[in-house]
Amino acid sequence: MPSPSDLPLHDALVAAGARFAERRGQPVAASYGDTSGEYAAAREAAALVDLPLRAVLEASGPQRQKFLQGMLSHDVAERQPGQGCHAALMNAKGGVQALLRVLVDKDVVLLETDFDRIGRLQGTLEHHRVAAPVRFAARPTSVLALLGPGAARVLSAAGIDSPPASPEAHQVVAIAGHPLRLVRAGDLPGGGFVLHAAPEGAAAAWEALRTAGARPAGHDALDALRVEALRPWYGSDVTEDNLLHETGLVAECHSPAKGCYVGQEVVARLEARGGNVSRALRGLRLSAPAAAGAAVSVEGREVGRVTTAAVSPRLGPIALAYVHRGHFAPGTAVEVDGAPATVVTSFEERAASENGAAEPARERDREDLHEDRRPR
């Protein structure tokens, strides 16, 4: 396994107090010693996360958009420079080979995906291009995430007053004297931005964003936020064994108006059947912490598997899991490694109801307190 010292941002992460752990065989900053505070920053202010599991493939050549239109699940051909979308690369049976952020620029199309998908992505595209004048090359890139309601304020303090507004819109900006690509990222929990930096400029951008008010946050907090938002990521929650409909990402990654692409027949057939699949990704409220890979069962019979598990400072133990269609409904009681759990389709509904129930209780407590203080 690579060492944390191999990370382009290693020294900057260590200076911020990073505690490293492994994700998918690669080192990441899991926390900076205060996961609850990092989580709170992402929900209430601005958090800065290093994403070393992300990488970028560059597509060039005069027919790059036309070619990608026939390969990817979303509409690429009509995108103008500065626009983008999310898309999936699938095989002929509909299995998801990669999830992509597609960014159209003047002379290239940038495909941001997972580091361990770059080789598969490039190989598959080159296999299908035949004689099309399209070329592919990995672009060395450090990917950072800036998330939270205060992200725009941080960017303003760093000298960027008009960040891209629409999902996956992007522009080249300068931070600490280094050019970066700033993207409005739809796949971050709670919304925010990703920044593509050349590895030699990433540390300067990181420090400038910290100085502007962003708090470093690790992947433990990020996982909790992702699970709360029911946001699957490739490798953790999506693999080649999954159909796009199982992931809940069809509306985001698929254009029903476009023509043929690899895997389109499977998507169209499922759409015609109302999107019915035998398993699908759901959230789980847990009674005890669990781990990825834990069995989800009902009456001793396995009905699913956990893909990402986390402990939310706000909600306690939670998880994402694929469950059988007989257990899709919110409120369904299941077990995870023998401990009680509940299926949810939104963690926020439950949190809102709990907060709503707590408010009258607090009001009653105040009334009781006033009653006790009245003179007898």
Side-chain angles (χ1 to χ4, degrees), residues 84-108:
C85 63
H86 285 150
L89 175 72
M90 293 178 281
N91 58 34
K93 295 182 179 180
V96 179
Q97 296 193 81
L99 293 175
L100 310 170
R101 189 191 320 279
V102 182
L103 305 174
V104 176
D105 205 1
K106 181 179 178 181
D107 299 313
V108 297

Side-chain angles (χ1 to χ4, degrees), residues 20-365:
F20 295 98
E22 178 265 340
R23 293 288 196 283
R24 293 159 54 195
Q26 296 293 314
V28 300
S31 78
Y32 295 85
D34 180 12
T35 298
S36 294
E38 297 158 33
Y39 168 94
R43 282 185 55 85
E44 301 165 11
L48 182 61
V49 184
D50 180 34
L51 298 179
L53 303 187
R54 295 287 180 93
V56 176
L57 184 71
E58 177 184 292
S60 60
Q63 293 189 18
R64 57 192 178 278
Q65 284 181 251
K66 179 180 179 181
F67 173 75
L68 292 171
Q69 180 77 356
M71 293 296 301
L72 306 182
S73 61
H74 218 313
D75 188 356
V76 179
E78 299 301 320
R79 306 285 172 177
Q80 300 300 311
Q83 296 180 335
C85 63
H86 285 150
L89 175 72
M90 293 178 281
N91 58 34
K93 295 182 179 180
V96 179
Q97 296 193 81
L99 293 175
L100 310 170
R101 189 191 320 279
V102 182
L103 305 174
V104 176
D105 205 1
K106 181 179 178 181
D107 299 313
V108 297
V109 176
L110 302 176
L111 305 173
E112 179 195 319
T113 191
D114 296 83
F115 77 103
D116 53 0
R117 294 282 94 186
I118 283 288
R120 172 61 63 87
L121 175 63
Q122 183 171 355
T124 300
L125 295 177
E126 289 180 343
H127 173 76
H128 284 87
R129 74 177 177 182
V130 191
V134 186
R135 297 176 299 278
F136 302 97
R139 173 182 281 197
T141 304
S142 292
V143 182
L144 309 178
L146 180 65
L147 60 159
R153 291 194 296 274
V154 168
L155 290 173
S156 179
I160 303 165
D161 292 322
S162 300
S166 57
E168 312 321 312
H170 55 100
Q171 63 194 53
V172 175
V173 300
I175 295 180
H178 293 273
L180 302 93
R181 187 170 303 274
L182 177 65
V183 188
R184 175 72 72 166
D187 62 341
L188 295 178
F193 302 87
V194 295
L195 300 96
H196 291 184
E200 61 271 17
W206 171 274
E207 293 300 340
L209 292 169
R210 282 191 65 191
T211 300
R215 176 171 179 166
H219 284 243
D220 289 346
L222 180 62
D223 282 345
L225 293 160
R226 282 203 307 106
V227 175
E228 287 184 12
L230 300 179
R231 166 55 64 175
W233 278 10
Y234 203 93
S236 302
D237 313 292
V238 183
T239 71
E240 292 189 33
D241 293 331
N242 293 119
L243 302 174
L244 193 57
H245 278 81
E246 295 173 348
T247 69
L249 296 174
V250 173
E252 180 178 319
C253 293
H254 163 66
S255 170
K258 68 173 291 185
C260 294
Y261 57 89
V262 179
Q264 186 262 349
E265 291 184 2
V266 177
V267 174
R269 186 163 62 248
L270 285 171
E271 286 287 271
R273 296 175 181 175
N276 293 322
V277 286
S278 61
R279 62 176 179 174
L281 200 69
R282 290 291 187 269
L284 296 178
R285 291 289 295 256
L286 308 177
S287 59
V296 181
S297 60
V298 174
E299 298 179 348
R301 180 171 57 89
E302 185 174 315
V303 298
R305 286 275 171 176
V306 169
T307 58
T308 297
V311 177
S312 163
R314 185 169 62 106
L315 301 177
I318 55 177
L320 293 175
Y322 286 100
V323 297
H324 188 271
R325 63 185 172 194
H327 310 280
F328 285 175
T332 299
V334 297
E335 292 183 346
V336 175
D337 276 352
T342 305
V343 174
V344 301
T345 52
S346 170
F347 287 102
E348 296 308 316
E349 291 176 3
R350 177 73 178 272
S353 66
E354 289 174 348
N355 291 338
E359 223 24 78
R362 286 194 290 268
E363 194 62 42
R364 287 194 299 272
D365 290 343

